[in-house]
Amino acid sequence: MDDDHARRLLRTALDEARAGLAEGGIPIGAALYGADGTLLGRGHNRRVQDGDPSAHAETDAFRAAGRQRSYRGTTMVTTLSPCWYCSGLVRQFGISRVVIGEARTFHGGHDWLAEHGVDVLVLDDPECVLLMREFVHRRPELWNEDIGDD
Amino acid sequence: MDDDHARRLLRTALDEARAGLAEGGIPIGAALYGADGTLLGRGHNRRVQDGDPSAHAETDAFRAAGRQRSYRGTTMVTTLSPCWYCSGLVRQFGISRVVIGEARTFHGGHDWLAEHGVDVLVLDDPECVLLMREFVHRRPELWNEDIGDD
C-alpha cells in the first residue's frame, strides 16, 4: 500500500478519534478495511462514553465489522500504535496489514506484529501526534487507566 | 494460589461456558477476580448470540468488570487457554494471574504470558476438555471462525 492511499484511509480513523474527543472520550480512532478496499467497520475508544474498558478503537472497529469468515487481506487503520490487547487481536484474527497514524506518544505491539508477518506502516502523522499529546497532557490519569498503567 | 482454590474459581468460568452452550454459543467461559478474591466480572463467548466477534470469554468478563484503576493482583480464570487477543488483554492491563481450565484442545498465548511475568496455572480439567472437544467436533467451522483460522 502506498503512503497516499494509507493517508486517505487514516482520515476515517482520525474522524473517529475526533468524534470520540467530542463525546468527552479518549481520542483514538480506527477502521477495518476489506481486501477489496471496502470499509468493513469503524470505531473509537469508548471507555468513558460507555464505561467499557474493552472498547479500544481497534476492537470497536472490529466489532462494528461483525462476523467475518476470514480477515485475510484486511487492513486495520488506527490513529495510534496498537496496545498489546489490540495487537493480539490483529495477530489472532490474521489481519494482514496495520496502518498506524503515529507511534511517538505510545509504542505498542506493532514491532511484534511485523515480526509475525503483519505488514505494518507507521505514517507519523502530525495531527495524530497532536491529538494524543494534548489529551495525555490534559488527562494523564485517564490515559494511564486506558493502558493499564498503575 | 493452590490447586483447590483455583479449581473453585474455575467453577464460575465453567458455569459461564455451559450457559454459552445452552444459548447455542461457543462454550468458553471466564471470570475476573480481584486481588481480595471478590468476583469483579464474569462472562462467556458471545459470537453467535450477539453476532459479536470481539466478545471472547475473557474480554466479556473484563468488560463486565467495568472500569478499574488497576488490575494488580487480579486473576483471570478461563476454561480454555487464552488466544492472542485475550493474552494481549492480560498483558496490557497487567492482570497478575491466569488460571486456565485446559490447553489441550487449543494452545494460545499463555507461555508468552508466563515469559512476561504473569503467573499461569493450567489445571487440565477433564470437564473443560470434554466441553471443547465435543464442540469442535460438532461445529469445526464455527470454532475456526472464532480463532480466525481460514
Side-chain angles (χ1 to χ4, degrees):
Chain A
M1 182 179 295
D2 66 40
D3 253 45
D4 281 355
H5 182 49
R7 284 180 196 281
R8 278 195 297 276
L9 300 189
L10 182 64
R11 304 312 300 179
T12 308
L14 251 170
D15 286 349
E16 285 289 331
R18 289 203 193 90
L21 188 68
E23 292 162 8
I26 298 169
I28 307 173
L32 183 66
Y33 283 91
D36 63 356
T38 57
L39 179 63
L40 299 175
R42 53 192 291 172
H44 54 263
N45 189 297
R46 297 183 183 278
R47 173 177 294 271
V48 174
Q49 300 91 316
D50 296 355
D52 182 356
S54 77
H56 273 197
E58 298 89 332
T59 61
D60 195 47
F62 178 82
R63 188 181 200 191
R67 289 173 61 177
Q68 303 281 334
R69 188 58 201 86
S70 171
Y71 293 87
R72 194 178 294 172
T74 60
T75 300
M76 179 68 82
V77 187
T78 173
T79 55
L80 183 67
S81 173
C83 78
W84 287 115
Y85 170 45
C86 297
S87 294
L89 177 90
V90 168
R91 180 170 176 188
Q92 185 63 47
F93 290 97
I95 292 170
S96 299
R97 188 179 297 108
V98 180
V99 171
I100 297 166
E102 63 107 351
R104 282 181 193 266
T105 66
F106 176 77
H107 194 113
H110 66 272
D111 298 324
W112 179 71
L113 290 176
E115 282 164 26
H116 289 282
V118 178
D119 182 9
V120 173
L121 179 60
V122 181
L123 294 172
D124 199 25
D125 180 84
E127 285 185 68
C128 291
V129 174
L130 190 64
L131 202 57
M132 275 308 287
R133 194 162 277 164
E134 288 185 346
F135 169 73
V136 172
H137 178 74
R138 195 165 48 82
R139 300 294 307 275
E141 78 301 339
L142 182 54
W143 172 234
N144 287 337
E145 182 190 314
D146 197 56
I147 52 171
D149 199 338
D150 283 358
Chain B
M1 183 179 295
D2 66 40
D3 254 45
D4 281 354
H5 182 50
R7 283 178 198 281
R8 278 194 296 278
L9 301 188
L10 182 64
R11 305 311 301 179
T12 309
L14 251 171
D15 286 349
E16 286 289 331
R18 289 201 194 92
L21 188 68
E23 292 163 7
I26 298 170
I28 307 173
L32 184 66
Y33 283 91
D36 62 357
T38 57
L39 179 64
L40 299 175
R42 53 192 292 172
H44 54 262
N45 190 297
R46 297 183 183 278
R47 172 176 295 272
V48 174
Q49 298 92 316
D50 296 355
D52 181 357
S54 76
H56 273 198
E58 297 89 333
T59 61
D60 196 47
F62 178 82
R63 188 182 200 192
R67 289 173 61 178
Q68 304 280 335
R69 188 57 201 86
S70 171
Y71 293 89
R72 194 177 294 171
T74 60
T75 300
M76 178 67 83
V77 187
T78 172
T79 55
L80 183 65
S81 172
C83 78
W84 287 116
Y85 170 45
C86 299
S87 294
L89 177 89
V90 168
R91 181 170 176 188
Q92 185 62 48
F93 291 97
I95 291 169
S96 298
R97 188 179 296 108
V98 181
V99 171
I100 297 168
E102 64 107 352
R104 283 180 192 267
T105 66
F106 177 76
H107 194 114
H110 65 270
D111 299 323
W112 179 72
L113 289 177
E115 282 164 27
H116 288 283
V118 178
D119 182 9
V120 173
L121 178 61
V122 181
L123 293 172
D124 200 25
D125 180 83
E127 285 186 67
C128 291
V129 175
L130 190 64
L131 202 58
M132 274 308 287
R133 194 163 277 163
E134 289 184 346
F135 170 73
V136 173
H137 178 73
R138 196 164 46 82
R139 301 294 306 276
E141 79 301 339
L142 182 54
W143 172 234
N144 287 337
E145 182 189 313
D146 197 56
I147 51 170
D149 198 338
D150 283 358

